[in-house]
Amino acid sequence: MRNSGNRSITGHMAITLAAMTSFWLGCGDGKANPDQDTTVECDAPFDSWETGGEGADISTPPPAGQARAGRIASADDVPGGVKNNAGVGDYMLRNSRVMFVIEDIGESDGYQPFGGGIVHADLVGADGEPLGLNMFGESFHGLSIRLLDPDSITVISDGADGGEAVVRVIGPMRNMPLLDVAFNFFFEVNDGVEYIADWVLGPDSEFLELRFHIRNPLLQWAYVNLIIFGAIQGDGLEIFTPESGFDLDSLSGRHDLFGHVGQDISYGWLDAQGGTLQYVMEESQILVGEKGVTLPMEGCTERTVPVIRLLVAKGGAESLLAAARRVAGAVEPAPTTFNVSVTGGADASGATVHVLDGSDGYVTSAIADPSGSWHAGLTAGDYTAIAVLDGHQVTNGVAFDVDASGANVDLVMEQPGTLEYTVEDQDANPIPAKIMIFPDAASDLLPPSFGVKTLPLGAAAFDYEADGSGTVVLPAGGYHLSAARGFEYEIEERSFTITAGTTETLSIVLDHSVDSTGMLCGDFHVHSVYSPDSSDPRAAKVRAAAAEGVEILVSTDHEWVADYQVEIEAEGLQAWVHGVPGEELTTYDYGHMNVYPMTVRPDEPNEGAIDWYYRQASDVFAEVHTDPLDPVLQINHPRSGGSLGGYFTAIGLDPETGTVGNPDVWSPAFQAVEVFNGEDFRSQEDLTVKDWFALLSMGMKVTAMANSDTHNLIWSEIGYPRSCLFVGHDDPSTLTNIDLRDTVKAMKVTVTGGILVTAQGPAGEGYGDVVDAPSGTADIHVIVQAPSWMSADRLRVFVNGVEVSTITLDETTVDPANPAIRFDDVLVVTTDGGGDGFVVFAAEGDSDMTPVVEGHRPFGMTNPIYLDADSDGAFDPFMSMP
């Protein structure tokens, strides 16, 4: 099935140069025999591959001890789950333990564009029905980068005879577009070799096995290299290996198992021949590995190769390891029982116990059940156990010995306390806010193998609540709290003490000090679970946007079109946030671009995402504007190198001359540039700011935008920086996507990384407007605002891209009634030589905004106001278009 509307697996493989190098080296040289003639075919051709039919009725569970394979004929038979990627027409394999779905022929969602792969993997309950825990993302399997593009998917054994159930995939081999475009030069493509694939489920199996049938149709020997697998997961399932735990920096080498581990369900990749799998690379929760073998095949021969197994287990790492032991036929050790309790009798369920061996090597982990206990199969030896539970003090390591009879280990956690808080504005209205809580005494960091996510600045908690109240569980001790609501409000800081078993209450008031009347501020580059390099739930992103004062939230997941308005309405946050559908067009050839607003098309791959593979930028840009909404095309992080793909880097833009070094990739069909991508003004002044000034000098009406590119709510905070649109009102619930589009295209935007800068011409002209400026001179009214907790040290004036003056902003209050106003005056602006020009105003602060935004300096910058010296009503560019 395609386009179920609940897919969350697409994304881009953000591979660094170092990762690509390891990818190359990890795959061997992949070279064919230089003396081999690869053109002479066998005298007697092979028979056609055997095909089957649609298989058995899979609407009911098979009898005990049997497996079944058949085509899903009814929507009633489509399995559910946390994800729901299967559909009518797909092929199901099921037995009494597990259930899998293989996608039908046709264009597929995700980065693997062909059918014939796994789209659903779940466990089966005692009644024979799936448990509804499916979290499976996307995988790809092939000879090097050659995958099957199915023209036939059939059931060649339905399992009714008591044997294996088998779904066969036949089709021509095609290069996987992503690997072909980005990494073609790494791989030997084994020209001349052919293969097909069987998905095989045994009657009592806990895994699905993939087998390749490979043919060498030539008279000469073939050396088949790089049988690869890739898994794109994310969504909160963490990569795990028995040798490294959850430490992604220790994945190199060979491993017995590659896992994707969650709380309720986990998946594991095993070599189907009982060996180990070679790590190739991991980036952004995208895992690539290989068998690490070369298959020599004599001419005119055929062989079957068991490739890989997908194992499914209920629970976390220990459940997956126990299942792997069962598959390997290993003798299960006597169980070691871990009993987790909290002093005072509080609930210990949900605590994760991590087990280390005598050398502090990672062994296993699991989450305690409601009784606070779990079991692990540990061989004899010395171990240490540590219990971790959100809001509780981490237990000190408990050393224990395991003998042939197992062991019984008690872990006691100290009872926590509770903080309850409310947040209101100066008029006593409950408001969303971000709450940051820091312990007075720093705690030791847990090892990377535990996979425990740390918080910035050693924080104990970050809390985003949209209704103005919240509850946080904390270990006993002293704390200080910072409450904030973006860049228009004052902050409040408090110290408090948590006592075990008691509740502390705080009432917080945040004053709205910055006047943004007529503007709505938004983040136009936001990622969620629909991107594989983000595990942020979309509802959490929406709540965080409300708490951070982000009033426009644009969905820009990699190669996926989605609309945050769905989650906004579900959360009841229409008064605070407006959602916009879009995508990040994530090319590897010529950069990344955001497209918004877009039409969501549930019946098309990736909900209507634009296909860029093997296409020129001009053709892709032209397709963007065929959308009925005529979206904004925004160039993202234009100076990024490597896999992030900066468009200005790709085209070789020279801002000094206005020329491009790669004109074949150049197209002027974009309307916005992400001048700031999680950065401040000073860091980009000689890069993207300079590029943007050059475009303006060419006469291009290209709007400067500022966005966070957030992939993680904690470490890449939503709304720093952001773009404020002059829409004429302050109500997100009445904003339309057409108004938003037109406002951006008209350049009615000022960008802010904390400081709000606004400017108007003498007749009220705004950004993108032309001011009558005889002899190149005009009076411009400029206002600079910032809340009192933020520095604002200077206002800089740029005419035609050149700084012409700097105004120091001292501590003197401009307006006693509103100390947030740091500057309010009319500036006389004149172009050099008295001709046409444009003026841009930028303000900066020297102190960073920790803890509200860690490590970033505040800034603000306007879009241009054009100066018309010859009174012809237009701006005359002074640099030629490339």
Side-chain angles (χ1 to χ4, degrees), residues 98-228:
V98 288
M99 184 276 298
F100 301 89
V101 177
I102 306 301
E103 192 173 33
D104 193 16
I105 296 168
E107 192 173 4
S108 177
D109 290 332
Y111 269 119
Q112 200 289 77
F114 314 124
I118 304 169
V119 293
H120 207 90
D122 202 354
L123 293 149
V124 170
D127 60 357
E129 297 296 339
L131 295 181
L133 301 176
N134 172 66
M135 285 285 289
F136 190 79
E138 181 181 9
S139 65
F140 51 90
H141 312 271
L143 299 186
S144 180
I145 61 175
R146 307 295 296 275
L147 310 182
L148 294 177
D149 184 3
D151 54 26
S152 169
I153 301 179
T154 58
V155 176
I156 63 169
S157 175
D158 65 10
D161 61 359
E164 295 175 328
V166 183
V167 172
R168 172 161 291 180
V169 181
I170 301 174
M173 294 186 298
R174 305 195 192 282
N175 291 355
M176 181 179 175
L178 177 65
L179 297 182
D180 189 21
V181 169
F183 313 112
N184 177 284
F185 56 94
F186 290 145
F187 300 103
E188 161 62 40
V189 296
N190 302 304
D191 286 330
V193 175
E194 302 170 354
Y195 80 102
I196 66 168
D198 284 348
W199 294 105
V200 182
L201 181 65
D204 294 309
S205 177
E206 296 179 68
F207 59 82
L208 183 69
E209 181 170 295
L210 174 63
R211 297 173 189 165
F212 283 172
H213 304 285
I214 306 174
R215 287 174 173 172
N216 177 13
L218 307 175
L219 290 173
Q220 294 75 25
W221 280 81
Y223 299 89
V224 183
N225 296 332
L226 308 180
I227 298 178
I228 67 166

Side-chain angles (χ1 to χ4, degrees), residues 657-693:
T657 63
T659 59
V660 299
N662 188 4
D664 291 341
V665 187
W666 165 251
S667 170
F670 55 93
Q671 298 77 44
V673 172
E674 188 178 66
V675 179
F676 306 101
N677 176 285
E679 304 128 341
D680 59 38
F681 184 89
R682 193 176 306 174
S683 68
Q684 297 304 302
E685 183 175 354
D686 293 328
L687 296 169
T688 52
V689 173
K690 192 173 183 179
D691 291 329
W692 177 60
F693 283 157

Side-chain angles (χ1 to χ4, degrees), residues 337-342 348 352-354 372 374 384-388 395-398 400 409-413:
T337 300
F338 297 88
N339 306 298
V340 185
S341 61
V342 177
T352 300
V353 179
H354 299 268
W374 65 275
T384 300
I386 299 174
V388 179
T395 61
N396 294 323
V398 175
F400 63 97
V409 183
D410 294 326
L411 297 101
V412 181
M413 310 188 82

Side-chain angles (χ1 to χ4, degrees), residues 365-438:
S365 66
I367 298 173
D369 63 22
S371 69
S373 299
W374 65 275
H375 309 282
L378 302 177
T379 57
D382 300 330
Y383 298 91
T384 300
I386 299 174
V388 179
L389 179 60
D390 284 349
H392 295 63
Q393 192 71 47
V394 174
T395 61
N396 294 323
V398 175
F400 63 97
D401 298 326
V402 174
D403 57 23
S405 62
N408 198 305
V409 183
D410 294 326
L411 297 101
V412 181
M413 310 188 82
E414 294 298 323
Q415 185 178 16
T418 302
L419 170 68
E420 293 183 352
Y421 67 85
T422 59
V423 185
E424 296 178 339
D425 64 14
Q426 65 269 34
D427 298 320
N429 299 308
I431 55 173
K434 176 174 70 174
I435 304 298
M436 300 155 284
I437 300 172
F438 305 92

Side-chain angles (χ1 to χ4, degrees), residues 634-652:
Q634 171 185 292
I635 304 298
N636 288 347
H637 40 75
R639 280 294 175 184
S640 297
S643 63
L644 284 179
Y647 184 62
F648 294 169
T649 302
I651 65 174

